[in-house]
Amino acid sequence: MATTYDFPSDLLAGQEELHQVRAELSALLKRLPWSVEPLDGFSDDNGWRKVERPASPGWTADEQAEVEKLRQREHELAVFVSTHRYWSELAGSERVAARSQLKHTQGVPPEETGGTP
């Protein structure tokens, strides 16, 4: 049977927010034009596959600010989760297994993951 870990509630909350921020950033980047700056479209069939892009109007200042805000928050959360004091309680492969389990606790209430409520 797989080991369950007693993750602290702040670590679980940080990981959950990290998942949410990454999903929000990914959805935003999919909606935005392919180029930050306005660029003409192009077509290139000289490589191993044909690449085509339509003209890009670029991103607005608000869109650039939103992407930057989400990237900054993603960075803060990644640092918080990866340097959390909890990891010092585990050694070697146990730390790797626990980190992997934490990454897959998205949307699971703490009582089901062995964490504190």
Side-chain angles (χ1 to χ4, degrees):
M1 183 171 166
T3 303
T4 57
Y5 298 93
D6 189 21
F7 297 119
S9 59
D10 65 332
L11 180 57
L12 286 167
Q15 181 66 51
E16 180 63 26
E17 186 179 351
L18 181 57
H19 284 308
Q20 291 169 356
V21 167
R22 284 181 172 161
E24 190 176 338
L25 179 58
S26 177
L28 176 60
L29 291 172
K30 286 178 183 175
R31 286 193 313 270
L32 293 175
W34 64 270
S35 174
V36 177
E37 299 295 325
L39 287 176
D40 294 333
F42 67 89
S43 178
D44 181 9
D45 58 2
N46 292 326
W48 62 278
R49 67 180 180 136
K50 186 173 184 173
V51 177
E52 292 183 309
R53 295 269 192 236
S56 173
W59 298 358
T60 66
D62 288 344
E63 291 167 337
Q64 290 180 40
E66 182 66 15
V67 168
E68 180 59 31
K69 182 181 111 184
L70 288 171
R71 285 182 174 159
Q72 180 63 36
R73 186 61 183 150
E74 177 186 30
H75 177 78
E76 291 167 359
L77 288 165
V79 168
F80 172 77
V81 169
S82 64
T83 63
H84 194 279
R85 67 190 176 281
Y86 176 75
W87 304 121
S88 65
E89 299 172 12
L90 305 173
S93 62
E94 186 179 19
R95 186 179 303 153
V96 173
R99 180 68 183 112
S100 181
Q101 188 177 92
L102 178 67
K103 287 180 181 182
H104 297 286
T105 60
Q106 182 177 5
V108 179
E111 58 273 6
E112 292 182 26
T113 62
T116 54

